[in-house]
Amino acid sequence: MASGNEPAPRPLVRIAGLRKHFPVGGGWFGGGRLIKAVEGVSLSIPERRIVGLVGESGSGKTTVGRILVKLIQPTGGTVHYRGEDISRLEGSRLRDYRRRVQMVFQDPFSSLDPRRRVEDIVGEALLAGGVGPAAARRELVAERLEMVGLNSGHLRRFPHEFSGGQRQRIGIARALAAEPEFIVADEPVSALDVSVQAQVLNLLLELQERLGLAMLFITHDLAVMRFLCDELAVMYLGRIMEAGATESVCSNPLHPYTRALLSAIPSPRPETVSRRIILKGDIPSPVNLPSGCVFRTRCPEARPECAGEAPGLLEKRPGRFTACLLN
């Protein structure tokens, strides 16, 4: 968020009314039943900022990320990149978009081809972009490895020769190979040992600041989000429950779901005793969502009117958005 006289950063990515439904059940077409993985998500990602997307498993946050990098197509809604609808990109403009927007995947063990050497894994984007000759690509790959804390001596090795943290550094180097402007980082530290998570997070923050990247950081961990992100959006069952500047949301959450997530973060001060908010029941099936507010079946503050029309994401305070009838 901009402060003082600093101008507000321009939006690099604008998501409006994004929906993604998956057919499920018997038959070729799922018997008419749908998983509503993403339903009406709207979000703005400014230039040179890190926006966090946080929520429990199954909230739809990874689906949003995969739509942004065009690994899957949305059911509805729009994604604009620098003002251009990405669904209309073709030919050279589509190739340029794929170069500018890259993804760091969650699992460094499955996201790297075990049969290929590091040089080929990281250099694939350069080869696809027509960067050549081979010697020039090799030099660029070595530079990217240096940026993430590895070196040219790792070029000819295979993924199985590295630790989990090193493999994720290779994944980051691959994402940076084509000099992108925007990175989708999908739970990039959740599969790593706790001892190396902080190293990778600090690396991502350093690279973001050094290269001026915009980033969508997807996680289930609000403590990580608070450390890394300028702004955040909280997702539940395919919808955004709350959004705003990270410190503002964490210090004064408006939505009951955000308050419950924050209450689960251990305090670094042993003398501090906080009341843990225990959510009742299980997460509803995305095939059969509750009427009205999708969170109402687990909400400790739910009232009868919450079963009516689903609340929209509205600006309740300057720069603070929440989808709740009660706040």
Side-chain angles (χ1 to χ4, degrees):
M1 301 293 287
S3 60
N5 295 321
E6 181 186 351
R10 295 183 301 175
L12 182 68
V13 179
R14 281 190 183 276
I15 305 169
L18 194 65
R19 293 181 292 115
K20 180 60 181 179
H21 300 167
F22 296 98
V24 293
W28 287 101
F29 301 102
R33 302 170 67 216
L34 296 171
I35 290 178
K36 297 182 178 180
V38 176
E39 188 68 13
V41 165
S42 296
L43 187 65
S44 179
I45 302 169
E47 293 181 322
R48 300 172 179 267
R49 292 290 189 273
I50 303 178
V51 174
L53 195 57
V54 65
E56 297 170 274
S57 296
S59 63
K61 52 193 189 297
T62 291
T63 302
V64 171
R66 289 176 176 270
I67 289 172
L68 292 182
V69 297
K70 292 186 74 68
L71 287 177
I72 57 176
Q73 297 300 317
T75 303
T78 59
V79 176
H80 284 82
Y81 183 84
R82 292 199 176 280
E84 190 168 21
D85 186 343
I86 68 170
S87 68
R88 301 182 179 181
L89 297 178
E90 296 179 346
S92 61
R93 288 159 63 201
L94 178 58
R95 288 192 296 273
D96 186 59
Y97 177 78
R98 292 191 182 279
R99 180 185 69 79
R100 292 174 179 270
V101 179
Q102 295 289 318
M103 191 166 191
V104 177
F105 295 90
Q106 177 178 3
D107 187 356
F109 298 93
S110 63
S111 63
L112 303 179
D113 189 336
R115 297 166 297 181
R116 305 186 70 189
R117 299 180 189 273
V118 169
E119 180 180 4
D120 300 318
I121 291 171
V122 178
E124 185 174 13
L126 300 173
L127 183 62
V131 176
R137 291 197 300 273
R138 185 183 177 90
E139 184 175 343
L140 286 171
V141 170
E143 289 178 6
R144 298 299 181 268
L145 291 180
E146 294 281 352
M147 289 174 66
V148 300
L150 300 175
N151 57 63
S152 58
H154 296 117
L155 284 170
R156 301 299 295 167
R157 296 186 184 181
F158 291 95
H160 72 269
E161 300 179 68
F162 297 90
S163 68
Q166 288 175 319
R167 291 187 198 187
Q168 195 59 292
R169 289 173 185 266
I170 294 168
I172 294 169
R174 175 177 60 185
L176 296 176
E179 299 184 335
E181 295 180 315
F182 176 49
I183 296 286
V184 175
D186 182 16
E187 302 246 25
V189 299
S190 64
L192 305 179
D193 292 340
V194 174
S195 60
V196 299
Q197 286 184 3
Q199 298 173 21
V200 175
L201 289 173
N202 283 323
L203 173 63
L204 285 170
L205 189 58
E206 175 190 332
L207 291 170
Q208 185 269 333
E209 293 175 347
R210 175 180 169 186
L211 302 175
L213 298 169
M215 187 181 298
L216 180 69
F217 190 89
I218 296 169
T219 185
H220 64 275
D221 191 334
L222 265 170
V224 169
M225 190 77 69
R226 195 167 190 173
F227 165 73
L228 198 70
C229 301
D230 303 294
E231 303 173 24
L232 67 82
V234 180
M235 281 192 76
Y236 181 80
L237 278 179
R239 294 160 173 81
I240 292 181
M241 300 285 102
E242 183 166 356
T246 300
E247 197 52 45
S248 176
V249 172
C250 291
S251 61
N252 185 24
L254 300 179
H255 198 281
Y257 181 56
T258 311
R259 288 196 285 271
L261 291 179
L262 287 167
S263 77
I265 300 176
S267 173
R269 300 177 180 176
E271 70 276 8
T272 301
V273 179
S274 59
R275 185 176 67 89
R276 175 75 184 271
I277 301 173
I278 306 297
L279 298 178
K280 59 186 179 182
D282 298 321
I283 300 176
S285 167
V287 178
N288 186 25
L289 295 172
S291 63
C293 175
V294 293
F295 183 59
R296 69 175 177 82
T297 58
R298 304 178 71 205
C299 180
E301 304 175 31
R303 299 177 185 174
E305 55 265 36
C306 297
E309 185 177 354
L313 188 69
L314 302 176
E315 189 171 18
K316 300 296 180 74
R317 299 178 187 177
R320 293 291 306 280
F321 299 81
T322 185
C324 182
L325 297 174
L326 310 179
N327 298 290

